[in-house]
Amino acid sequence: MPNITILNAGPGMGFYIPGIIMHRQLKSAGIDSCVHVFERFYQQQKKDIIPQIKSTFQENFSIALLAHKLARNPQDALDDQAVGELLALWVKEQRRHFVVFSGFWLPILQRYRELIHPIELQIDCCHLDADYSVSWKMHMDIHAGMNNKWFHHWEEQAINYHIDVDNGMPLPFEERTNNLLIHGGGWGLGDFEKQAARLFDTQYNLSMVAYGNRDFKKEDARIHFYHLSSEWNIWDTDENGEHGFPPLYDVDRDHDYTQHRLNDAPYSPLYQIAKSSKAIICKPGAGTLIDSLSAATPLIILEPYGKSEDKNGLLWKHHGLGMSFDDWAAGGFSHEALERMHVNLLAMRAKSQNYIQLYIKNLHHNRD
């Protein structure tokens, strides 16, 4: 059985967490794999400024949107020596099977193809957005000849694959808590806090992810807070050298706001909250689509971060899997609307293919 190389990246979590999920599920199936995160190969000075950029984007979403439009190719930020060592390792190990969640990796893969020629590589390019995101758009000429896997596709109005995050069936709608999960994606972007205030007098309980350092004693008591640690970086590894999920803490209001780290095995603790909630209120990022479809949890859509997220939201609305916050508000924050979308998500989940299980099946088939 081959050793699978999973390539993921930030800056948010939508192209990072699916790779971690796949790595853990391959490991559970007895298949060797490893994860490489693009930002880990940045020069140190580039790494050092990322927390400040994140903080600026959280404080001002308009700046984040402008930066997205002006995004530049990050290849110049890479540490040439570190990349060279990685390529040498791949050559030594004769790696042939790659699953790519970010197009930023494509120039490095192109260099590897040239080094290992004429050995053919098996490369799955996993497009998690419904349109070309920035990283793929920058390298259209490279991935054109690769095995492009479109999970969501706006032009075809198709949802082809899903990732079964916990390898279990979604919780029935009537068994869920009356909770809404509210967050801003991996970087905490958008107007999710402002919109949450519109829900204070509704029938729902509110769970919100907070980013950065905050004084929770001053926060509104109608919100149950979870805290995504600002100390963690996407290139960090644990004591075993493994990449993992960003640490998420439960803020205990009843015990002097003590923060308890939630268990992240075998999947992100944020998913467990999403799975038991009636809806996710968030911008329509790729990772949020993965969670929504896997858990059959409706998506209440906030302002998107760029063109590809806009297409994500349109696709979810087209299939009745989500709706805009304003439309939901105009309907009185209807519980029935959420249940209809849950039913549609169940049907779509059943119709689409489980990408990781299909990948494992194909590996066994090719070996036989």
Side-chain angles (χ1 to χ4, degrees), residues 52-289:
Q52 182 56 50
I53 294 173
K54 184 190 299 186
S55 178
T56 300
F57 285 4
Q58 288 170 356
E59 293 171 5
N60 194 325
F61 190 44
S62 62
I63 293 178
L65 291 171
L66 178 61
H68 186 272
K69 292 179 181 178
L70 301 176
R72 295 181 295 178
N73 193 327
Q75 301 299 316
D76 291 341
L78 293 172
D79 182 326
D80 290 337
Q81 180 178 341
V83 173
E85 291 172 355
L86 178 67
L87 290 171
L89 176 65
W90 288 354
V91 170
K92 179 182 178 181
E93 296 177 346
Q94 294 286 287
R95 289 190 169 267
R96 296 178 57 186
H97 293 77
F98 294 84
V99 178
V100 189
F101 287 99
S102 170
F104 289 144
W105 277 101
L106 293 178
I108 296 174
L109 270 176
Q110 186 79 329
R111 288 172 60 185
Y112 181 60
R113 289 174 100 175
E114 294 167 359
L115 288 170
I116 207 166
H117 183 78
I119 297 175
E120 291 190 9
L121 304 180
Q122 302 296 318
I123 303 173
D124 270 15
C125 293
C126 294
H127 300 267
L128 302 183
D129 282 316
D131 193 6
Y132 287 108
S133 57
V134 170
S135 70
W136 296 110
K137 196 177 294 184
M138 286 181 176
H139 306 293
M140 301 282 283
D141 56 326
I142 300 179
H143 69 75
M146 297 179 178
N147 190 19
N148 287 281
K149 298 287 188 179
W150 283 92
F151 281 59
H152 320 106
H153 201 294
W154 167 245
E155 287 190 1
E156 297 178 3
Q157 297 185 339
I159 297 175
N160 302 306
Y161 303 99
H162 70 272
I163 289 179
D164 188 349
V165 175
D166 64 349
N167 281 323
M169 288 301 296
L171 194 66
F173 196 76
E174 62 275 9
E175 295 181 17
R176 299 181 180 220
T177 62
N178 201 38
N179 187 65
L180 303 175
L181 173 60
I182 307 164
H183 65 84
W187 270 30
L189 304 183
D191 63 348
F192 61 100
E193 295 195 42
K194 175 184 175 182
Q195 301 295 11
R198 298 169 64 185
L199 296 163
F200 283 169
D201 297 323
T202 66
Q203 60 181 304
Y204 302 100
N205 301 319
L206 308 179
S207 292
M208 183 187 295
V209 178
Y211 305 78
N213 298 317
R214 298 175 68 150
D215 183 358
F216 289 104
K217 294 181 180 179
K218 297 181 179 179
E219 301 289 356
D220 197 293
R222 286 168 288 192
I223 300 176
H224 183 103
F225 280 97
Y226 296 90
H227 185 212
L228 192 63
S229 172
S230 59
E231 304 301 317
W232 180 85
N233 298 299
I234 201 168
W235 54 82
D236 289 343
T237 56
D238 63 18
E239 62 275 8
N240 300 314
E242 293 273 350
H243 292 282
F245 300 112
L248 186 67
Y249 297 84
D250 184 5
V251 180
D252 190 343
R253 189 182 297 275
D254 295 329
H255 294 85
D256 199 28
Y257 301 87
T258 304
Q259 297 188 38
H260 307 283
R261 182 169 176 173
L262 300 177
N263 181 30
D264 61 359
Y267 49 86
S268 167
L270 189 64
Y271 179 77
Q272 186 61 47
I273 303 167
K275 183 176 180 179
S276 61
S277 296
K278 292 284 175 65
I280 303 169
I281 300 175
C282 186
K283 63 185 186 61
T288 302
L289 299 192

Side-chain angles (χ1 to χ4, degrees), residues 39 57 103 136 158 190 246 269 272 275-276 295 309 328 337 351 357 359:
E39 286 81 357
F57 285 4
W136 296 110
Q272 186 61 47
K275 183 176 180 179
S276 61
E309 285 197 3
W328 189 46
K351 188 167 65 172
Q357 289 304 311
Y359 190 90

